[in-house]
Structure formats: structure tokens, C-alpha cells
Amino acid sequence: MAKGYWVVTYRAIHNPEAFARYANLAPAAVQAHGGRFLVRGMAAKVYEAGIQQRVVVIEFDSLARALSAHDTPAYQAALRELAGDAVERDLRIVEGLG
């Protein structure tokens, strides 16, 4: 079964306090659903049309687990901390190759 991945990029963090509250809640919510953080931090180097921004990659045992983790009450509570314009981010859920 192919794994599922969350790939998140942060173009801007406008409200560091709101982001900190989200960052306190989100990891436990993700890990409770089997998510494992593989990458969490700023890009080491960018090329081509790349943008220097925060990147997070989270691995799940399956695409179904990755999809359902997003909709859990615990993760939705974490997301509420980012309401409004606290951050500009892009979250994509993708299926692994294997």
C-alpha cells in the first residue's frame, strides 16, 4: 500500500503567536493519526523559481490515513488557531509511489 504525505509550505507567517498556538496543538493531532514528521523547517537552499519558506512534510501509512487525519476534531481545533490571515500556506496531500 502506498503511503500518504502532507506537504505544507508557508509563504508568510503574519501572526507568530497564532502560529505558535497551532504548532503546540497540531503535532499531537497529526501523530495521534499515525503521522510522522519527516521535514520541518526552512529550506536549506532554493533553486529555479523556489521561494525561501518554511516546509513541513508528514508521512502516513496510507493515503486514506493522510486524508482522514486532516478532518479529525483535534486537527481542526489546531487549524482554528490559524483563522483569518495568521499565515499564508499551502497544504497538499499526495500519494507516495510505493
Side-chain angles (χ1 to χ4, degrees), residues 42-61:
M42 295 298 289
K45 179 78 174 160
V46 296
Y47 293 96
E48 300 166 20
I51 301 168
Q52 182 65 19
Q53 59 191 4
R54 182 176 178 78
V55 178
V56 178
V57 178
I58 306 168
E59 179 182 66
F60 293 84
D61 288 337

Side-chain angles (χ1 to χ4, degrees), residues 5-26:
Y5 296 87
W6 286 14
V7 180
V8 186
T9 57
Y10 289 82
R11 291 181 291 283
I13 298 174
H14 300 295
N15 184 335
E17 293 82 17
F19 178 74
R21 290 189 304 271
Y22 166 82
N24 281 331
L25 296 171

Side-chain angles (χ1 to χ4, degrees), residues 4-6 33 60-71 93-94:
Y5 296 87
W6 286 14
H33 217 68
F60 293 84
D61 288 337
S62 68
L63 179 60
R65 298 255 321 167
L67 292 168
S68 64
H70 184 274
D71 298 330
I93 300 176
V94 296

